[in-house]
Amino acid sequence: HLNNAQRVGVPLLALLADMLRVLPGNPGEAQGFVHLQLDGAAKALVQRRMRAVYSHLTCSVRTRHNAALALPTAIARRHKQMAWEVFRGFDFSLKELPALAAPRKVRSGGKEKSGGDETRKTETTEASNEWPGLDPIGLSTRHNFVEFALSLLESGDNTLTKPVLARRALFGNALRYVASDPPALATKILKTLRDVVLSSDGGVPARLRAALC
C-alpha cells in the first residue's frame, strides 16, 4: 500500500466483499468446502478485523466508506447466522453512521457538489440495476448504507428484526431520506418496510412500527 498506516486498504476490502457475495446454489453446496471456508473467513473478519472497517468508516473518503460498508453487507447476506454475527459484532454507536446515511447534498450543507445533475443522473442509473451486478465502490455512500441496513432486515430471521429496528442509526436513517432516493432504491426500502417491518407475522411491536413511521 502507498499509505503504510492504512494496512487494510480499499482493494482488499472490496475483494473480500466480492468473494463473500458468492452464495451457494443449494443446501448441499452450502456444506461444501468452498462455502464453509468462506463462512469461516466471514466469521473471523467480524470477530477480529472490525477495527480496520471502522478506520475506513470514520475517515472522510467516499471510496473507503463504501468498501467498509460493502464488506459487512456481503457477510450478513450469506445466511441468518452470519447476519447475527454482523449484528452482534458491529459498533452501531459510531457517530458517523447518520452522515453515511444522508444523501450527498445533505452532507455538503444542502448544496450539491460540482456536477450535481450528472451525479444524480449517474446514481439513478446505477440504482436502477440489481445489486449483484453493481460495483459498491462506485455507488453513493447512502446506497451502500441502505444495502447494509436492509441486509440485516432481509435475513429471513424474525428474531433479528426487532433488535435491528431498535438500532435507530440503521433503518430509521434509511427511511429518513427515502424521498430523495432514486426510484429503484426508494422502492426497495419501502418494500422492506411493507414486507418485514409492517408484516402481520413479523413480530414487530406496534409502538416500534409507529416510531419508524
Side-chain angles (χ1 to χ4, degrees), residues 5-147:
Q6 184 183 322
R7 295 187 178 184
V8 181
V10 167
L12 179 56
L13 290 178
L15 174 62
L16 289 168
D18 281 344
M19 292 166 55
L20 296 170
R21 203 175 290 120
V22 177
L23 302 178
N26 55 65
E29 188 178 339
Q31 296 304 312
F33 176 79
V34 171
H35 287 287
L36 289 178
Q37 292 293 322
L38 288 174
D39 285 346
K43 189 172 183 178
L45 287 167
V46 173
Q47 293 179 348
R48 300 199 293 268
R49 298 297 182 185
M50 291 305 291
R51 183 178 297 181
V53 172
Y54 301 146
S55 73
H56 287 276
L57 290 177
T58 55
C59 75
S60 59
V61 181
R62 182 179 64 88
T63 55
R64 292 179 65 186
H65 295 160
N66 287 344
L69 288 168
L71 182 59
T73 299
I75 294 173
R77 284 210 162 114
R78 291 196 61 76
H79 49 71
K80 298 177 183 179
Q81 290 80 5
M82 284 302 161
W84 269 108
E85 288 286 342
V86 172
F87 180 75
R88 286 192 288 256
F90 194 89
D91 182 6
F92 295 103
S93 67
L94 291 174
K95 61 180 177 31
E96 289 80 8
L97 291 180
L100 296 175
R104 291 180 183 178
K105 60 182 179 181
V106 174
R107 291 202 301 273
S108 57
K111 298 180 180 180
E112 292 285 357
K113 294 185 177 181
S114 59
D117 291 338
E118 187 63 31
T119 298
R120 288 193 299 273
K121 180 179 178 181
T122 300
E123 290 184 1
T124 301
T125 302
E126 289 170 337
S128 67
N129 298 311
E130 291 297 324
W131 172 257
L134 296 177
D135 175 12
I137 306 302
L139 295 173
S140 67
T141 301
R142 169 163 172 79
H143 193 132
N144 280 284
F145 178 91
V146 168
E147 292 291 346

Side-chain angles (χ1 to χ4, degrees), residues 73 144-154 164 169-171 174:
T73 299
N144 280 284
F145 178 91
V146 168
E147 292 291 346
F148 174 53
L150 297 188
S151 70
L152 294 171
L153 287 174
E154 296 172 347
V164 169
L170 277 174
F171 196 60

